Amino acid sequence: MTFLVGLTGGIGSGKSTVAELFAQRGVALVDTDAIAHALTRPQGAAMAPIRLAFGDGVIGADGALDRAGMRSLVFSDRSAKAKLEAILHPLIRQQSAALCAAATDAPYVLLVVPLLVEAGGYRERADRILVVDCTEAVQISRVVARSGLTADAVKAIMATQASRSERCSAADDLVLNDGGLAALQPQVEALHLRYLQLACDKAHAGR
Ligand code: ADP
């Protein structure tokens, strides 16, 4: 079994930025957000069950999920959220497991799961849990700059996610991302060397 690092962090913490630094070092990335997007594209594997559960109202003219429509439905109706997750989460778990298992050429796999702490089925699969951490104020200002959402809208999204302390207490390793990009490189390099060693130990133990 390939050595698996589960990467998580709150919205705007810098998960994608950190994941890219690992990818530059030859690590295989499996991104559950990208899988969720693919599942909800026109003809995506989740679209037939979504149509059945919610009707045509949440489906755009192109046959893909109407993300804005779904987001507002989910915000106003908790049962809609649970219903959507019951469709998407098993498919995401299944596909991410298949992609992780297929990444045999890489020294190890980084599985990016925004809701790793919140969703079941990931923590137990990962050999290490890596959390990208920054202050809530930094999260808010990054997401506002990136998306144009208001600070209140970002806070509302953050309120649906695990708290900073919940996430950090689930972590085996932390990347602190309050500063600039230059501060990330040495942290990623040190973790990468550590993971290469642990991956090697795991491969030898499995022989
Ligand atoms: P996440 O994937 O956790 O939502 P991203 O990696 O997309 O977060 O980062 C959110 C935004 O903040 C992006 O626009 C990204 O370019 C920027 N960003 C992330 N980390 C840093 C950093 N250390 N310095 C400057 N900008 C950063």
Side-chain angles (χ1 to χ4, degrees), residues 10 21 64 107 112 120 153 161 171 189 192:
L21 297 179
V112 186
Q161 302 189 338
E189 185 60 23
H192 178 57

Side-chain angles (χ1 to χ4, degrees), residues 5-159:
V5 178
L7 177 80
T8 193
I11 184 170
S13 59
K15 291 178 294 299
S16 312
T17 307
V18 168
E20 182 50 36
L21 297 179
F22 278 97
Q24 287 168 10
R25 290 165 168 81
V27 177
L29 285 193
V30 177
D31 181 339
T32 54
D33 259 357
I35 294 172
H37 262 85
L39 287 168
T40 52
R41 277 203 286 259
Q43 316 297 332
M47 292 315 297
I50 286 175
R51 189 188 295 270
L52 207 62
F54 296 98
D56 289 338
V58 298
I59 298 179
D62 61 353
L65 181 68
D66 171 3
R67 285 172 217 292
M70 195 63 183
R71 208 174 298 127
S72 61
L73 181 64
V74 154
F75 259 109
S76 61
D77 178 355
R78 290 193 65 83
S79 72
K81 183 169 189 275
K83 212 153 67 163
L84 180 68
E85 288 176 349
I87 294 168
L88 284 177
H89 285 180
L91 289 169
I92 296 171
R93 271 195 286 273
Q94 213 177 64
Q95 295 206 358
S96 62
L99 289 170
C100 289
T104 49
D105 287 347
Y108 63 93
V109 177
L110 193 71
L111 174 62
V112 186
V113 190
L115 300 181
L116 182 142
V117 172
E118 297 85 341
Y122 292 103
R123 280 163 88 155
E124 50 279 11
R125 261 161 59 185
D127 293 288
R128 302 289 290 183
I129 293 177
L130 173 57
V131 169
V132 183
D133 181 51
C134 66
T135 65
E136 285 160 1
V138 168
Q139 270 181 280
I140 294 165
S141 71
R142 282 194 189 130
V143 180
V144 166
R146 178 181 64 182
S147 66
L149 290 172
T150 63
D152 280 344
V154 179
K155 283 183 200 164
I157 294 170
M158 286 166 61

Side-chain angles (χ1 to χ4, degrees), residues 1 3 127 197-207:
M1 275 288 268
F3 189 77
D127 293 288
Q197 183 62 57
L198 290 170
C200 195
D201 293 348
K202 184 177 180 182
H204 280 101
R207 272 192 196 148

